[in-house]
Structures are given as C-alpha cells and as structure tokens.
Amino acid sequence: MGDRRRSRRLAAVLAVTALGFGTAACGAGSDSAGSGDPNTLEVWTRSNPDPAATYERVFAAFTKKTGIKIDYQPVINFDQQLQSRASTKDLPDVMINDTALMGSYQSQGLLKPIDPATITDGDQLTAKTWSSTVGVDGKHYGIPYSRQAQTLMIRKDWLDKLGLEAPTTWQEMLSVAKAFATRDPDGDGKADTYGMVVPGSAQNGYAAWWGASFLWQGGARIIEPDGKGTYKPTMDSSAAVTTVTWMKNNLFCGDNAVTQPGALTAVTSTATNFQDGNAGMYVTGPYNIATFDQTLGKDKYEVIPAPAGPASGDVLADGENIYFGARTGKTKQERALAAFLISPEGQKLAMTGKNQPVVRIPVNSTLDAAKVRDDARWSVVQKAYEDASQQFPNAPDFAPIKQDTADALNSIFTYCGGDVRSQLKELNETLAGDLKDQDLLK
C-alpha cells in the first residue's frame, strides 16, 4: 500500500515539475487568441449547466456596470483542461475554483500574487477568510469568493415519529443512527432504512473530505504547520488513533455499522440515500439544501450543527477563491471583476435566483446568508463557518496529502480486522514523503 501511494506521489510530482517548466513563461504574457482583446476577460469556473447559468447572470451584470466583457467558460474537467492550456502558455485571465487547490496552482507557477489592499472592498472580508489565500511564501494568491461549512442534515419527521431529540454529541448521534436503522422510522414494516449517509470512497479523496470533520472533532490533524513555513504529519497521534478507531468500530464495522450499503465505494453523486428517503442523517455541505428541498421536501428534514466530538464541534470548511492567471496585461480589469464579485451586489446575485447559487456563505462580512435568502437554516451554516470550522491547509499542495489520507482511511474502514495504530503510522510516513517532495517537511 505504501509503495503504491509513494509511486503515485512521485508521478504527480514529476507531472507538476513538467507543468512548471511548461508554464514558466506565462507570467511574461501571451499573444494567443484568448488574450487578444484587452477589454475582455476569459473566465473559467468548474461548473455544470445549472450553476453556470448563475455565473452568466453575475457576469452580465458586471459587464453592464463596467463595460468589461467576459468570455465565460464553464469547465467540468477543469484541472485537465487547465494543464492543457498551461502547456501552451495560455492561461485563462481569471479562474474560480476550490480553496484547497491554491497550493497546487501556486506551486506550478499558474497564479499571480495579489495584494488585498488593491482589491476594492477587500477590507469587508474577514482576516480568517483572507488567511485561506496565503501561500507558503506569505503572499496572497487568491481572493475569497464563497465559503461553506458542513452541518448535519437530519430527518426531522423520523425524529418525531421515534420520539427522539436531535443529537448534539457523537454518542447521541450514534444512538439516533441505530434507531433510524432498526426502528422502522418510515413505517413501511421493512428493514430498509439506514442511519447515516457516507461518501467514503477513496476516489478523489472523498474519505478524507468527509472524515475531516470527525478528525477535527476528535482533536486530530492531518498535518500541522510549525510557524516557520514547514509542516509535520500528525496522523499517528493518539487523538488520530482514537478518532479513527471510533469511526471504524461505530460507523462501518461489525454489528454497529450504521452507514448505507456501499458507503466505502460511494462518492457524492452516488450517495443519494438521504434525498432518496431511506437514510436519516448526512454530514455534508449546504449546496445540498436546494436539492433536498426539491427531492425530499423542506418539511421533512432540518439543518443543525454537527454533533460535537470529544475535542470540539469543529467541521470542515471550504469554498472557492478567485485566481488570476499568471500573465500580465489585464490587471486593472481583473481587479475590477474581483471587486464586483466580492461586493454586496455581486455576492447577492450569486446567492439568489432560480438556478443553483454559486456563493453559499458570503465572504463579504456586511451580508447575512439567512437574510439574503430569507431562510433561517443558512444561519446555522454561517455560524458553523464563523465559529466552529477548520479548513484543509491551503498553502501546501494538499491534493496528494488528501488522496493519501483518503486511501488509508478507506482501507482501514474496509478491512475491519486491521490494526489502526500501525496503519496510521504507515500513513504518517507517506504524508512525510508528500511534504518532503514539496520541500515542506519539518
């Protein structure tokens, strides 16, 4: 297992290195077709058609206000297409994508550094929000655009039918999950309900993404900074061993398993048991609220803070940043777009409308998500982000770290007879290799 992960990690490093050589000249500008009109910005987002329609409405309002045109490209295979463009030294002017990808993009030389003071209304973003755009060299490489934090979606009607209260601790959550799985909460007389939905596949790092909230709540960390620009892996800590052991024994293995069938091969697109109506809980992001309202019914479930673990109630926070492609010539236009996107006007447009919102929790601190949407449930999400959340470390290239963590967690939860301590020690050694490959190991 360790050799396989290290081989993949080294292959990824070589790919990044090759890409870095291919994009070194991007900062010097490009005369390709994509950069021909100085008053047109080519903008990419990772979007399917529904959120893309929201972006189109936002960009149309920006063009109407400023006269700056937007050549908008909603790209599903974002990273593959971005590397293809980087190899031709022709990056998009502006990209909107995940916060956790910043370290990867910056290490490849794909981004321009940004001074927050040059972005109009940048002071309306909190220091916590801006902190997620700082690279290993201390410079900012993105502008916050949208944030979110995980909460617990739970079947309120099932709680009422079984005479249960919403859980506030891990143990209460486990008790409720067992009741949902065994006490026929849907009343059909069949054993066809499950306690909790888990997208636990190793694919694309899902097991680490979903499991991060439990790690934070148990007091565990994947890697930790030393305050000097380097990091150390910490998945062999006593807190990590205790937390992962609890997850394994109580959620996945033996008679205590409360997750849906196939949880450890499920990704978010296939983990549909909550919206299908046969699972009672789902620790997930707020982008699912609109989907669950349509498929399940707003009256059947509620959004509550995730139950607290022994260390805290912290959950995984993530979101999207605005990135400027590493080339010159359109800095004024890029800053104008960023300023509009983080303004109250731009944020409200992106949070409302008939299509899927592309801003969940506003980064502009003058806005309240619940008031903008007239939906009190969003205050639960905003409070979780502001008061009880942690993000993946964004300065390193976190992609290989997340993937190696997901591989290990998925294996631990799949093969119930293994020794958690020794498996996490092996993971920690692999993570040390990931950091060493980036010259970031303490």
Side-chain angles (χ1 to χ4, degrees), residues 193-256:
T193 56
Y194 311 103
M196 181 182 299
V197 176
V198 173
S201 171
Q203 179 183 336
N204 295 330
Y206 273 112
W209 171 83
W210 171 84
S213 293
F214 288 91
L215 294 176
W216 304 167
Q217 292 160 8
R221 302 293 180 267
I222 299 174
I223 62 173
E224 287 189 342
D226 65 354
K228 301 178 181 179
T230 54
Y231 296 78
K232 62 178 181 179
T234 54
M235 279 299 288
D236 63 347
S237 67
S238 59
V241 172
T242 300
T243 300
V244 174
T245 299
W246 185 92
M247 295 169 69
K248 170 185 173 179
N249 292 341
N250 292 287
L251 303 181
F252 300 101
C253 292
D255 295 335
N256 293 326

Side-chain angles (χ1 to χ4, degrees), residues 226-373:
D226 65 354
K228 301 178 181 179
T230 54
Y231 296 78
K232 62 178 181 179
T234 54
M235 279 299 288
D236 63 347
S237 67
S238 59
V241 172
T242 300
T243 300
V244 174
T245 299
W246 185 92
M247 295 169 69
K248 170 185 173 179
N249 292 341
N250 292 287
L251 303 181
F252 300 101
C253 292
D255 295 335
N256 293 326
V258 294
T259 57
Q260 85 278 14
L264 294 174
T265 58
V267 298
T268 53
S269 61
T270 60
T272 61
N273 299 78
F274 190 83
Q275 66 203 62
D276 292 343
N278 58 23
M281 286 187 283
Y282 193 1
V283 177
T284 188
Y287 43 80
N288 275 320
I289 291 176
T291 298
F292 295 162
D293 283 356
Q294 294 175 1
T295 58
L296 189 62
K298 187 175 180 179
D299 60 323
K300 288 186 172 62
Y301 78 102
E302 58 184 334
V303 180
I304 63 173
S312 74
D314 286 359
V315 293
L316 177 65
D318 53 13
E320 289 77 42
N321 290 334
I322 303 162
Y323 301 113
F324 295 165
R327 65 183 185 192
T328 59
K330 299 184 182 180
T331 300
K332 180 179 179 181
Q333 294 90 335
E334 291 166 355
R335 290 175 180 171
L337 176 59
F340 179 80
L341 292 175
I342 67 170
S343 70
E345 178 185 0
Q347 294 265 289
K348 287 179 181 178
L349 282 171
M351 293 168 65
T352 57
K354 65 179 182 178
N355 298 101
Q356 183 177 332
V358 294
V359 167
R360 280 93 187 193
I361 297 303
V363 295
N364 191 298
S365 60
T366 68
L367 298 178
D368 183 301
K371 290 181 179 179
V372 172
R373 292 186 171 90

Side-chain angles (χ1 to χ4, degrees), residues 9 59 77 82 139 171 210 231 247 255 260 358 402 405 414 424:
R9 185 177 69 242
F59 294 145
N77 298 320
L82 181 62
K139 298 179 181 179
Q171 193 56 48
W210 171 84
Y231 296 78
M247 295 169 69
D255 295 335
Q260 85 278 14
V358 294
K402 182 175 74 170
T405 302
T414 299
L424 289 181

Side-chain angles (χ1 to χ4, degrees), residues 380-404:
V380 178
V381 184
Q382 187 156 354
K383 184 173 178 59
Y385 171 72
E386 293 174 349
D387 300 336
S389 71
Q390 299 180 45
Q391 299 183 146
F392 285 136
N394 59 280
D397 179 358
F398 200 72
I401 296 170
K402 182 175 74 170
Q403 186 60 58
D404 285 333

